[in-house]
């Protein structure tokens, strides 16, 4: 089926810019939030809690926001998320203590949870047949947002101070609000009776989409939660150098993922999203097992490249499945998709740390491959049928 033209401004550049905005605030703030918390009087424990608070709030709010997107419509929720985000960015800069900062962080998660489901649901509404290209563009610009945000926020803080990070983000969100209000399709919501029942009828598609994302984020949680600690405990790395290796691993993976977004998009359109997902899961398993064989530089580089391929195939393939859900539950499906991803990191980081302490450096990375292996088996069975 030929891809239909975009409607009412949901062009690929617009989708790309919204994809960039959907992650830019998190990517800019994540590297500096702990230090900013300490500046405002937080203890190291409270600083780590404030950093984690975003995910803790976003997991349940993403599910609820998905239903809101279906009820109220895509553009109202997207514009609301962006304008509230702009206000919240200013609130970050005006926080007078770490308690206020924690409250702002929680509201930030709620506002952000409206944005991604609105974008993904709109792609499904506007593009029919082959959705690989718009989904690929969305994730490409999301990756660019991660690279730019992670790479520049610390530079801005060191040269101009913390407030300029938030002023920059406020400006970006206001631009996004104007574009969304003027150019984003005004697809109205609808009241769907027994929406949960309809979601349940599509549970196989939803599971095929969210389980690969969960598996990928388990690996991310393991990298974040255990790689630097393992390098310190078993390889003699100094703390700051060990911490930098996590950033380098993820930066290389995200950079490598960009061409795979396009490859995955083409493959999903021609062979189906499940094929792309299975390739991504195989790559994720290989990346995890490479680290379980050792954490020397060659293994870390090879694993990072393999994981970049996994990101490209899984992110696009799973999102295409979500965009194919019926329109009146598409937002709810996108919300669950986002929530399960966050849950993967929330579970992967502490579990991997416990395994590292109890069983040594190879065990966490071996264990991280298990969810992907189970999901791969599930998808292979569905594909044969």
């Amino acid at each position: 089926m030929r891809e239909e033209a975009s409607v009412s401004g949901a062009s690929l550049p617009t989708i790309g810019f919204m994809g960039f905005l959907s992650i830019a605030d998190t990517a800019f703030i994540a590297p500096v939030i702990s230090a900013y918390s300490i500046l405002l009087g937080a203890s190291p424990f409270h600083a780590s809690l404030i950093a984690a608070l975003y995910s803790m709030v976003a997991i349940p709010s993403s599910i609820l926001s998905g239903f809101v997107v279906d009820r109220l419509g895509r553009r109202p929720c997207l514009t609301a998320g962006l304008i509230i985000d702009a206000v919240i960015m200013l609130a970050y800069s005006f926080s007078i203590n770490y308690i206020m900062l924690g409250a702002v962080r929680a509201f930030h998660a709620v506002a952000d949870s409206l944005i991604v489901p609105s974008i993904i649901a709109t792609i499904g509404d506007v593009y029919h047949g082959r959705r690989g290209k718009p989904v690929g563009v969305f994730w490409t610009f999301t990756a660019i947002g991660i690279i730019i945000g992670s790479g520049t926020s610390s530079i801005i803080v060191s040269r101009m101070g913390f407030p300029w990070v938030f002023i920059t983000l406020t400006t970006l969100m206001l631009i996004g609000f104007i574009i969304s209000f003027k150019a984003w399709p005004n697809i109205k919501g609808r009241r769907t009776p027994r929406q949960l029942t309809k979601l349940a009828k599509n549970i196989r598609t939803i599971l095929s989409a969210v389980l690969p994302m969960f598996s990928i984020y388990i690996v991310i949680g393991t990298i974040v939660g255990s790689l630097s600690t393992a390098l310190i405990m078993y390889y003699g790395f100094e703390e700051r150098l060990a911490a930098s290796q996590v950033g380098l691993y993820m930066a290389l993976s995200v950079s490598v993922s960009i061409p795979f977004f396009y490859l995955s998009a083409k493959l999903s359109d021609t062979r189906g999203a499940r094929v792309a997902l299975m390739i991504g899961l195989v790559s994720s398993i290989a990346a995890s097992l490479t680290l379980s064989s050792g954490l020397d530089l060659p293994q870390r580089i090879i694993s990072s490249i393999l994981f970049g391929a996994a990101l490209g195939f899984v992110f696009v393939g799973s999102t295409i499945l979500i965009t194919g859900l019926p329109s009146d539950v598409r937002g709810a499906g996108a919300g669950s998709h986002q929530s399960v991803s966050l849950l993967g990191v929330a579970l992967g980081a502490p579990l991997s740390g416990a395994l590292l302490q109890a069983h040594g450096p190879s065990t966490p990375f071996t264990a991280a491959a298990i969810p992907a292996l189970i999901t791969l088996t599930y998808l292979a069975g569905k594909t044969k049928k």
Side-chain angles (χ1 to χ4, degrees), residues 275-350:
V275 174
L277 287 171
M278 288 191 288
I279 293 173
L281 289 167
V282 169
S283 185
S284 177
I285 293 167
S288 297
L289 294 181
T290 299
L291 288 180
S292 72
S293 69
L295 300 179
D296 291 320
L297 182 60
Q299 285 103 321
R300 297 201 306 273
I301 292 175
I302 292 169
S303 174
S304 185
I305 293 171
L306 288 168
F307 194 59
L311 294 175
F313 281 108
V314 170
F315 279 26
V316 171
S318 65
T319 306
I320 288 174
L321 289 181
I322 291 295
T323 60
L325 290 172
S327 61
D328 49 358
V329 294
R330 196 172 286 144
S336 65
H337 186 257
Q338 179 170 270
S339 180
V340 167
S341 301
L342 294 166
L343 183 62
V345 175
L347 291 176

Side-chain angles (χ1 to χ4, degrees), residues 101-153:
L101 181 65
V104 171
R105 187 90 170 132
F107 281 114
H108 182 195
V110 174
D112 263 8
S113 68
L114 287 167
I115 295 174
V116 172
S118 299
I119 298 170
I120 291 176
T122 301
I123 291 173
D125 295 335
V126 171
Y127 289 87
H128 304 280
R130 297 187 174 185
R131 299 186 177 101
K133 184 181 289 185
V135 170
V137 167
F138 169 77
W139 282 114
T140 296
F141 279 86
T142 300
I144 291 171
I146 293 172
I147 294 169
I148 293 175
S150 301
T152 61
S153 61

